[in-house]
Structure formats: C-alpha cells, structure tokens
Amino acid sequence: MPAHHIIILIVIWKYVCVNIPNSTLSIFDYYNKTNIRRKTATSPQVKKAFHHMDMIKKLIISMLFTLPLVASANTILPTADEVLVVKSKRKMYLIRQGAIYQEYRISLGDSPVGHKGQEGDKRTPEGRYIIDYRNPESRFHLSLHINYPSELDMQSAADNGVSPGGEIFIHGLPNGMEHKSIEFKGRDWTDGCIAITNKEITEFWTLVKDGTPIVIKP
C-alpha cells in the first residue's frame, strides 16, 4: 500500500480511538442491531455517536476522492526517447524504450492529407525529423521546432521549382486565445504546424528535449 494511503488510514483510526470511547462503541453496536433512526435519537450520548459516525463518513469519502488526485500528482512522467504523430488519427504519442506512455489529441494544417510539398500549401510534413529547438516567446503558447525541410524535401521542392516552406512547430493556442479554446478543439486550424492545448504543450515542453526524434506518419 502506498505511504499516503497508510497516512490517511492512520488519521481516521486516531480519530476513532480519541473520539469514540468504548461506551460509545457499544452505542454503535446497538444502533446497528436495532436500526435506530437519527430523527428518533434523544440521548446526548446517542446524538454524539451519530455525530462521530458522520465525521468518519466524511473522512472516508474525502479519502476516496483525494487518493486518486494524490496518486496522480505523485506520478512523474519520464522524458521521451521519441515522438510519434499519426495524422489520420489526429494523435501524437510520447515513446520511451519502445513503449507509448502519453498521448495527445492534435490539430493539423488546413490541408491535412498528404506530405508538405511547398510553402503555403498548409500541409503538415510526413517523415522522420528532429525537434531541434524551442521558442518560449512565440505568437503561440510555447512552441518546439521541427527541422523540416530535410535535404530530401529541399531537393523535391527544387525539382518542382517551388520553395519547400518551413517554420513547422508543435505549439499551443495563439496567445490571448485561451478563453476561446473550445473554438479550436476538434478541428484543423494551423498553417501546417501541430497544435495541442496550452496545458498539454506545457507538459510536452518538459517531457521532450531538444534533439528528440519525431516520426510523422500519414
């Protein structure tokens, strides 16, 4: 049993031992056997027993609600070895030692299908890249840069006589738009970048270091 579970149980037990003497415990037993109802209780001792029962009930309910929160707060996620994006699923995954341990729902560019071929096509690149630097003062809430275009991307664009474009980031919402986050949820709205919520990008920022590889699949 985790230490914080034991501590809370000790607190409840101490409360019972200090506040409920043996005579009161016998009243509890009597209450259980005869099904005394609160509204018919007249003895101060019986009323006191009911009061302590209420306190114990509140302590137990509080424990049931707070233990998951405490456990969650004590969970420290590791840094990622790799980031995986699956565009068709609108999901981005953090991977460590070959196993997925965190995922995010993402928004893509306005033209999400297909590999980015040129500047202005509003497509999100596909392939293997590196998250090479970050910008804490971008026009979005935090951003991490993906090193698109690769040499292959630049060669392909040159063959087609176009610019490959660039400035592909993983970022949060536009600055000042936090209060309108619902308007961005569940739709593709970027110019080719990968977007998640401000809360998620804050976590992502701490779990993904510069130099982390990212694989973007169709």
Side-chain angles (χ1 to χ4, degrees):
M1 179 181 292
H4 52 270
H5 291 208
I6 297 173
I7 291 172
I8 294 175
L9 290 174
I10 290 174
V11 170
I12 294 176
W13 177 248
K14 283 190 174 182
Y15 180 88
V16 172
C17 291
V18 170
N19 292 284
I20 305 179
N22 291 334
S23 59
T24 308
L25 286 175
S26 65
I27 292 172
F28 274 110
D29 184 58
Y30 177 72
Y31 167 78
N32 290 329
K33 289 180 179 179
T34 60
N35 195 26
I36 295 176
R37 297 186 179 277
R38 183 185 305 275
K39 63 182 180 181
T40 62
T42 56
S43 166
Q45 195 174 22
V46 173
K47 288 182 178 180
K48 184 177 180 181
F50 276 119
H51 170 73
H52 289 309
M53 289 166 64
D54 286 340
M55 292 301 298
I56 293 171
K57 179 181 178 181
K58 290 177 181 178
L59 282 170
I60 293 173
I61 292 174
S62 175
M63 180 181 70
L64 292 176
F65 276 98
T66 57
L67 285 181
L69 297 177
V70 171
S72 176
N74 287 339
T75 301
I76 300 176
L77 296 176
T79 56
D81 295 331
E82 183 179 62
V83 177
L84 170 64
V85 174
V86 182
K87 292 169 57 176
S88 60
K89 292 183 178 181
R90 300 298 190 274
K91 288 292 184 71
M92 179 165 63
Y93 305 95
L94 299 188
I95 298 173
R96 184 172 180 85
Q97 296 180 353
I100 294 172
Y101 70 93
Q102 184 63 300
E103 69 175 59
Y104 306 97
R105 179 75 181 178
I106 61 173
S107 296
L108 300 173
D110 289 332
S111 298
V113 179
H115 176 56
K116 185 172 184 63
Q118 65 182 71
E119 185 175 7
D121 63 9
K122 295 190 176 182
R123 290 180 177 175
T124 303
E126 297 170 0
R128 178 174 287 273
Y129 299 96
I130 298 292
I131 297 173
D132 55 352
Y133 70 86
R134 62 194 59 214
N135 182 4
E137 299 180 355
S138 71
R139 60 191 181 95
F140 300 94
H141 181 68
L142 304 177
S143 62
L144 296 90
H145 182 256
I146 298 172
N147 70 333
Y148 170 89
S150 66
E151 291 185 6
L152 183 61
D153 295 322
M154 290 187 285
Q155 183 60 56
S156 177
D159 292 343
N160 293 319
V162 296
S163 168
E167 296 298 301
I168 302 298
F169 288 86
I170 301 169
H171 58 66
L173 300 181
N175 292 330
M177 298 297 288
E178 297 85 354
H179 61 293
K180 294 185 177 181
S181 59
I182 192 67
E183 297 180 12
F184 296 89
K185 187 175 181 180
R187 70 181 185 89
D188 296 320
W189 56 270
T190 76
D191 289 335
C193 294
I194 298 169
I196 52 181
T197 68
N198 286 359
K199 180 179 179 181
E200 290 169 337
I201 194 65
T202 299
E203 178 184 78
F204 189 90
W205 180 277
T206 63
L207 299 179
V208 179
K209 304 304 181 184
D210 293 350
T212 302
I214 177 170
V215 177
I216 306 174
K217 296 184 176 182

